[in-house]
């Protein structure tokens, strides 16, 4: 039996003729500096080839072969990455992602005790008769009250879901929050519209809208005086400004038909226009998001469920209450069910209790016991999402599988690292090969085998420094690990003094914070630490960043910049170059070249997001999706442009021997050298290098970045835009 996976001469991306062997059915850690080629080796070579060979063995085609001479001894692979971030859908929660909420709904369907809608007396479903009726192919379950003997529709599992019409709160539609426009941020009552009373109206758009609103006011015989502050508007004028000429209130108050043309006085209204854009963009308002704020739904108090569903109890607890328990307490509730429910009741729900129990224990071992079922998955860090995915992997009894896992210790407190190590060992002990990209020294020390890639990032990396046990690498003169493991920095003795005016937080009670009082010095670097789930993010992001009323001392700061590990975007079209706006300058440069001008090309022709110069077949992506029926769609290199995104005439235009696609394929470090004479472009690229991202490609999709890389990229854009203002940066 082949005991090794052998990789020969891998040249993908920055890998430089790299050859290495990975032991099978062992725990192997691949380490190295950021950008050295770890992810390229594991995902773009090892996983890609495993995937390709597996698909081709099934008689399917389409996955491009990695740039490697050969890989022998490979197994079917499963990847657990930080990029598998949960859906941005606010309805996706820890409970729905793990399916534990489904099991919980089944428990409440079987055993939920609630009032009879007729006599209002409490009904235990174990003592009530059930009747099922079929009508037009649909089944309806009725429950007969043992007290008044009236039959009524039973609340089944769908009534306990906030994603169904039956179960969702009718006011917030199962979101738990209601969205409102922040009029304070949008309007300044002390100013006139000419002087900036409406934050949305700027430049030429301001002049255009001033003409529109004045025509509307004249149509209704309530003309505006020049430079009239909003505070001096009549109620009718304000309604017209806010809601527009099509508003029902305006029609009722004026008794005049609404004008049908803009030149006659038709005006959409500031608020109406903003709501329309909100709906069209599905809430993704970008910089205009600050004009909206959400508040807890007054009807369901944030529980998302219909009041009828909230009345149903198991052991005197509603399903909404159970969903707010952290997973540690939820496990206690499961144990309480086993102890206090009757044998008859336990028999009905045993399978659901066991499902919840098994998943809770696995998630708890991964250091996520502080989460709740109601926690939205789009608020989890990349590491938290990854560990939830890892917990589901443990349900599998597959053997001889190659598991590739990307930094499982990410965002995990050192206290909880041992739980990750035990999980990795458990996967290995089932007879699987576990390959982990990791920087954590505790995990390195427990690995069976280590592979170090380096020595530096980008084109200076991609080489095998060493492989073997930890002791083997400690003996390797080229290894950076030995210095890292033996380096014990001394505690800092000299500290920078903060300013005299601190930021003070009093009586913070958000989420699990319990009346926290803290004073934060300013003009210094502050670190907030604590075990996972202790309340760090709640304190920094939910209290401080939101400028909670409990916070004082922020007056000296003109702006608060909040930078977290939330995914930058879900759009694969968005890349490093477009996000930092450096691609705008590069496109303008290419458009200014003599050859471009001769052909009448503008900067638009050098964009892969607009038609004109981009490849029409792949629409500038460089790849097309191949549908594989029951499998996830795969990306296949565009057969027309060969992955180069643009038409031939665009690719024939060069700047210092680089065409526009070559620039996108360059690393930030390489691009900084190419554009060293272009001041605006070079300034951005230099900053990205200084922040440790020089190894990223300009055209690298933001969906492929780790949480840390995305966080640093967000920070860089804030630094790019910085001015003389005194900012307060949260990370």
């Amino acid at each position: 039996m082949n005991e090794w996976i052998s990789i020969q001469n891998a040249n993908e991306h920055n890998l430089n003729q790299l050859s290495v062997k990975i032991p099978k059915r062992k725990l192997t850690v691949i380490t190295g500096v950021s950008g050295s080629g770890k992810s390229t080796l594991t995902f773009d070579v090892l996983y890609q080839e495993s995937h390709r060979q597996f698909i081709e063995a099934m008689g399917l085609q389409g996955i491009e072969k990695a740039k490697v001479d050969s890989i022998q001894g490979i197994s079917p692979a499963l990847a657990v990455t930080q990029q598998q971030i949960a859906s941005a859908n606010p309805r996706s929660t820890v409970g729905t992602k793990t399916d534990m909420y489904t099991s919980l709904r089944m428990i409440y369907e079987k055993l939920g005790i609630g009032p009879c809608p007729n006599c209002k007396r409490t009904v235990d479903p174990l003592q009530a008769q059930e009747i099922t009726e079929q009508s037009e192919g649909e089944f309806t379950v009725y429950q007969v009250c043992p007290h008044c003997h009236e039959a009524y529709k039973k609340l089944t599992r769908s009534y306990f879901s906030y994603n169904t019409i039956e179960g969702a709160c009718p006011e917030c539609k199962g979101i738990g929050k209601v969205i409102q426009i922040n009029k304070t941020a949008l309007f300044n009552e002390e100013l006139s519209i000419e002087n900036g009373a409406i934050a949305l109206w700027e430049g030429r758009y301001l002049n255009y809208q001033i003409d529109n609103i004045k025509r509307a006011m004249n149509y209704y015989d309530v003309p505006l005086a020049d430079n009239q502050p909003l505070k001096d508007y009549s109620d009718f004028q304000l309604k017209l400004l806010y809601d527009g000429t099509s508003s029902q209130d305006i029609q009722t108050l004026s008794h005049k038909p609404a004008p049908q043309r803009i030149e006659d006085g038709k005006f959409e209204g500031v608020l109406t226009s903003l709501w329309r854009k909100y709906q069209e963009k599905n809430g993704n308002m970008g910089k205009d998001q600050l004009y909206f704020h959400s508040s807890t739904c007054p009807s369901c108090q944030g529980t998302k469920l219909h009041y009828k569903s909230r009345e149903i109890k198991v052991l005197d607890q509603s399903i909404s209450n159970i969903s707010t328990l952290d997973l540690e307490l939820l496990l206690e509730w499961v144990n309480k069910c086993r102890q206090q429910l009757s044998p008859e009741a336990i028999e009905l729900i045993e399978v659901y209790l066991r499902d919840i129990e098994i998943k809770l224990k696995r998630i708890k071992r991964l250091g996520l016991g502080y989460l709740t079922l109601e926690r939205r998955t789009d608020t989890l860090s990349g590491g938290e999402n990854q560990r939830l995915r890892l917990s589901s992997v443990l349900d599998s009894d597959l053997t001889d599988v190659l598991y590739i896992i990307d930094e499982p210790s990410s965002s995990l407190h050192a206290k909880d690292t041992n739980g990750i190590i035990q999980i990795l060992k458990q996967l290995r002990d089932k007879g699987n090969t576990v390959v982990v990209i990791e920087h954590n020294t505790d995990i390195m020390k427990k690995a069976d085998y280590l592979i170090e890639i380096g020595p530096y990032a980008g084109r200076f990396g991609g080489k095998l420094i060493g492989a073997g046990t930890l002791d083997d690498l400690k003996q390797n003169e080229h290894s950076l690990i030995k210095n890292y493991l033996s380096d014990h920095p001394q505690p800092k003795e000299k500290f920078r003094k903060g300013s005299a005016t601190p930021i003070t937080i009093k009586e913070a009670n958000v989420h699990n914070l319990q009346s926290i009082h803290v004073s934060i010095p300013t003009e210094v670097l502050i670190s907030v630490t604590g075990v996972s789930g202790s309340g760090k993010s709640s304190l920094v992001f939910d209290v401080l960043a939101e400028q909670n009323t409990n916070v004082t001392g922020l007056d000296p700061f003109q702006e608060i910049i909040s930078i977290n590990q939330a995914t930058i975007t879900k759009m694969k079209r968005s890349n490093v170059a477009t996000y930092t706006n450096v691609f705008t300058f590069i496109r303008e440069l290419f458009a200014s070249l003599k050859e471009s001008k001769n052909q009448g090309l503008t900067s638009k022709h050098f964009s892969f997001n607009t038609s004109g110069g981009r490849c029409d077949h792949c629409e500038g992506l460089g790849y097309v999706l191949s549908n594989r029926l029951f499998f996830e769609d795969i990306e296949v290199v565009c057969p027309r442009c060969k992955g180069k995104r643009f038409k031939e005439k665009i690719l024939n235009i060069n700047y210092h021997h680089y065409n526009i696609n070559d620039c996108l394929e360059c690393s930030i470090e390489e691009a900084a050298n190419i554009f060293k004479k272009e001041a605006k472009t070079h300034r951005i690229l230099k900053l990205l290098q200084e922040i440790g991202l020089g190894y990223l490609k300009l055209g690298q999709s933001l969906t492929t970045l780790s949480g840390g890389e995305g966080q640093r990229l967000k920070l860089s854009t804030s630094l790019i835009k910085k001015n003389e203002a005194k900012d307060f940066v949260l990370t």
Side-chain angles (χ1 to χ4, degrees):
M1 182 182 292
N2 193 340
E3 296 298 322
W4 296 84
I5 298 172
S6 178
I7 301 173
Q8 293 295 319
N9 297 327
N11 289 289
E12 194 73 39
H13 300 319
N14 70 327
L15 298 183
N16 190 357
Q17 294 289 321
L18 191 147
S19 297
V20 67
K21 288 186 175 182
I22 300 172
K24 300 184 75 169
R25 291 171 285 281
K26 301 290 185 182
L27 171 58
T28 297
V29 167
I30 297 180
T31 190
V33 298
S34 297
S36 58
K38 305 182 300 297
S39 295
T40 298
L41 176 64
T42 51
F43 293 105
D44 298 332
V45 174
L46 192 58
Y47 178 71
Q48 178 85 349
E49 271 301 285
S50 170
H51 206 39
R52 183 186 68 82
Q53 292 183 24
F54 182 76
I55 292 298
E56 289 188 357
M58 297 175 64
L60 302 174
Q61 301 290 328
I63 299 181
E64 185 179 10
K65 186 181 187 302
K67 295 177 183 177
V68 59
D69 285 357
S70 68
I71 298 183
Q72 297 177 343
I74 200 167
S75 305
L78 290 175
V80 183
T81 72
Q82 289 190 53
Q83 285 76 49
Q84 291 169 323
I85 305 301
S87 168
N89 189 334
R91 296 181 181 277
S92 177
T93 65
V94 170
T96 58
K97 182 181 176 71
T98 60
D99 224 25
M100 284 192 285
Y101 191 69
T102 301
S103 294
L104 193 61
R105 288 193 292 126
M106 293 302 301
I107 292 174
Y108 273 78
E109 175 187 301
K110 300 289 184 184
L111 302 182
I113 296 175
C116 167
N118 299 304
C119 68
K120 309 302 180 184
R121 297 174 67 179
T122 300
V123 177
D124 185 338
L126 294 180
Q127 300 173 356
Q129 179 186 359
E130 288 188 5
I131 302 172
T132 303
E133 293 186 359
Q134 182 180 5
S135 176
E136 297 181 357
E138 294 186 1
F139 291 89
T140 304
V141 180
Y142 292 91
Q143 193 165 267
V144 179
C145 175
H147 309 294
C148 66
H149 306 294
E150 290 289 331
Y152 55 89
K153 188 181 292 186
K154 182 181 180 180
L155 299 191
T156 54
R157 70 202 74 173
S158 63
Y159 286 86
F160 298 104
S161 171
Y162 37 79
N163 293 327
T164 64
I165 295 175
E166 301 94 336
C169 166
E171 183 166 345
C172 66
K173 304 297 187 291
I175 297 296
K177 291 182 177 294
V178 289
I179 307 298
Q180 297 173 319
I181 290 179
N182 185 354
K183 290 185 179 180
T184 303
L186 185 57
F187 301 105
N188 186 336
E189 294 185 350
E190 299 298 321
L191 300 178
S192 67
I193 55 177
E194 292 92 341
N195 294 321
I198 302 171
L200 280 173
W201 292 1
E202 297 176 326
R204 293 182 179 178
Y205 186 68
L206 169 62
N207 296 330
Y208 170 76
Q209 289 289 39
I210 288 175
D211 290 341
N212 287 347
I213 186 60
K214 286 190 173 181
R215 274 194 295 266
M217 295 290 185
N218 290 336
Y219 176 84
Y220 287 105
D221 300 318
V222 286
L224 283 180
D226 290 339
N227 297 310
Q228 180 179 339
L230 293 191
K231 65 181 181 181
D232 294 337
Y233 280 35
S234 67
D235 290 342
F236 184 86
Q237 286 175 319
L238 278 178
K239 279 186 177 296
L240 190 56
L241 177 70
Y242 290 165
D243 303 327
T245 54
S246 297
S247 162
Q248 186 61 50
D249 287 343
I250 293 295
Q251 301 302 307
T252 302
L253 292 170
S254 69
H255 304 291
K256 289 184 72 173
Q260 299 302 307
R261 300 185 304 171
I262 292 177
E263 52 265 36
D264 294 334
K266 181 180 179 181
F267 178 71
E268 186 175 18
V270 178
L271 301 183
T272 305
S273 173
L274 199 55
W275 276 122
R276 175 180 55 78
K277 293 176 181 177
Y278 186 89
Q279 296 293 333
E280 291 173 352
K281 296 182 179 181
N282 294 319
N284 300 316
M285 295 296 289
K287 66 178 182 178
D288 292 338
Q289 194 68 45
L290 63 92
Y291 302 123
F292 293 87
H293 65 84
S294 61
S295 58
T296 301
C297 174
S299 179
C300 68
Q301 299 300 315
T303 61
K304 308 177 186 178
L305 286 175
H306 197 285
Y307 77 92
K308 290 183 179 179
S309 306
R310 302 198 304 273
E311 289 181 334
I312 307 301
K313 307 287 181 65
V314 173
L315 295 183
D316 294 324
Q317 294 286 335
S318 70
I319 193 170
S320 298
N321 291 339
I322 297 301
S323 296
T324 62
L325 298 176
D326 65 47
L327 301 186
E328 299 264 7
L329 292 176
L330 180 57
L331 186 57
E332 292 182 13
W333 181 81
V334 170
N335 293 331
K336 187 178 179 181
C337 285
R338 292 191 181 282
Q339 295 167 4
Q340 298 186 12
L341 292 175
S342 67
E344 180 186 4
I346 291 294
E347 184 178 356
L348 287 174
I349 64 169
E350 173 62 33
V351 63
Y352 310 116
L353 283 177
R354 188 166 62 249
D355 176 70
I356 295 174
E357 193 173 37
I358 291 172
K359 290 175 178 175
L360 284 176
K361 288 180 178 179
R362 287 173 174 166
I363 293 172
K364 180 182 174 182
R365 286 173 58 191
L366 290 168
L368 297 175
Y370 58 87
L371 296 179
T372 64
L373 292 186
E374 69 167 0
R375 175 77 176 269
R376 282 171 42 174
T377 52
D378 61 355
T379 67
L380 301 179
S381 70
E384 288 170 328
N385 269 296
Q386 185 192 43
R387 275 176 273 146
L388 277 183
R389 162 81 173 118
L390 194 56
S391 70
S392 66
V393 165
L394 294 175
D395 283 330
S396 169
D397 288 323
L398 294 173
T399 59
D400 265 325
V401 171
L402 170 61
Y403 285 99
I404 299 175
I405 306 171
D406 184 16
E407 292 191 59
S409 68
S410 176
S411 74
L412 187 67
H413 192 274
K415 171 180 173 291
D416 300 313
T417 303
N418 190 58
I420 282 287
I421 293 172
Q422 295 305 314
I423 294 297
L424 298 176
K425 286 183 175 180
Q426 184 178 339
L427 282 176
R428 176 202 62 189
D429 293 343
K430 285 184 176 181
N432 298 303
T433 302
V434 182
V435 176
V436 180
I437 298 175
E438 192 55 83
H439 300 106
N440 186 289
T441 55
D442 291 331
I443 294 180
M444 290 183 194
K445 291 174 182 177
K446 297 297 182 180
D448 301 312
Y449 200 77
L450 287 96
I451 295 172
E452 186 176 1
I453 308 295
Y456 306 111
R459 59 192 175 95
F460 300 108
K463 298 180 179 67
L464 177 66
I465 294 178
T469 64
L470 185 58
D471 288 336
D472 292 334
L473 289 180
K474 285 181 178 179
Q475 302 303 316
N476 187 328
E477 61 178 322
H478 301 294
S479 174
L480 302 179
I481 291 179
K482 60 179 180 182
N483 298 327
Y484 183 48
L485 292 173
S486 61
D487 185 25
H488 300 290
Q490 295 300 312
K492 191 174 181 178
E493 295 181 357
K494 294 183 179 181
F495 297 90
R496 178 173 175 172
K497 292 184 178 180
S499 68
T501 306
I503 297 169
T504 303
I505 301 175
K506 294 182 179 180
E507 298 295 320
N509 290 292
V510 176
H511 301 317
N512 66 329
L513 298 180
Q514 299 182 28
S515 298
I516 292 291
H517 180 105
V518 64
S519 182
I520 303 173
T522 56
E523 298 185 15
V524 291
L525 176 64
I526 305 295
S527 176
V528 179
T529 188
V531 297
S532 300
S534 58
K536 305 182 297 296
S537 296
S538 295
L539 180 68
V540 175
F541 293 106
D542 297 327
V543 177
L544 187 53
E546 292 295 325
Q547 303 180 58
N548 194 287
T549 54
N550 305 65
V551 182
T552 58
L554 293 175
D555 292 339
F557 301 96
Q558 295 183 21
E559 184 180 6
I560 291 181
I561 302 171
S562 182
I563 301 171
N564 55 34
Q565 287 196 39
T567 308
I568 295 179
T569 180
K570 299 292 181 182
M571 296 176 60
K572 291 190 175 183
R573 285 190 173 277
S574 186
N575 58 35
V576 174
T578 58
Y579 185 76
T580 58
N581 206 38
V582 73
F583 197 48
T584 299
F585 300 128
I586 293 175
R587 289 191 296 110
E588 290 174 351
L589 174 62
F590 271 84
S592 69
L593 297 176
K594 182 178 179 180
E595 192 173 354
S596 297
K597 290 182 177 180
N598 290 340
Q599 297 183 47
L601 301 176
T602 65
S603 62
K604 176 183 176 181
H605 291 90
F606 294 93
S607 170
F608 52 81
N609 285 326
T610 58
S611 58
R614 71 182 183 183
C615 171
D616 294 327
H617 187 67
C618 64
E619 296 184 330
L621 287 172
Y623 64 84
V624 292
L625 292 177
S626 176
N627 186 286
R628 296 183 297 158
L629 298 179
F630 303 109
F631 296 93
E632 184 180 358
D633 291 348
I634 59 172
E635 297 172 2
V636 180
V637 174
C638 175
R640 187 167 301 175
C641 69
K642 308 300 181 186
K644 296 184 178 180
R645 298 183 176 96
F646 295 90
K647 295 175 181 177
E648 193 66 29
K649 68 175 183 178
I650 302 298
L651 296 172
N652 286 335
I653 296 174
N654 292 279
Y655 174 79
H656 290 184
H657 307 294
Y658 290 87
N659 64 37
I660 189 71
N661 188 67
D662 292 336
C663 295
L664 290 171
E665 291 299 316
C666 284
S667 68
I668 290 169
E669 181 184 21
E670 292 167 333
N673 185 55
I674 296 170
F675 299 105
K676 58 186 176 183
K677 293 184 179 180
E678 306 297 328
K680 291 182 179 179
T681 303
H682 188 263
R683 182 175 68 88
I684 297 175
L685 296 172
K686 191 68 177 175
L687 177 59
L688 292 171
Q689 280 185 278
E690 292 172 354
I691 211 166
L693 297 176
Y695 59 90
L696 294 180
K697 284 186 177 183
L698 284 183
Q700 184 169 339
S701 174
L702 299 186
T703 61
T704 67
L705 301 183
S706 69
E709 288 170 334
Q711 193 177 40
R712 278 180 281 162
L713 195 62
K714 292 180 195 176
L715 179 59
S716 72
T717 57
S718 297
L719 295 174
I720 290 168
K721 299 173 184 176
K722 76 173 184 176
N723 48 38
E724 297 301 319
K726 197 173 184 182
D727 297 332
F728 183 55
V729 180
L730 304 173
T731 58

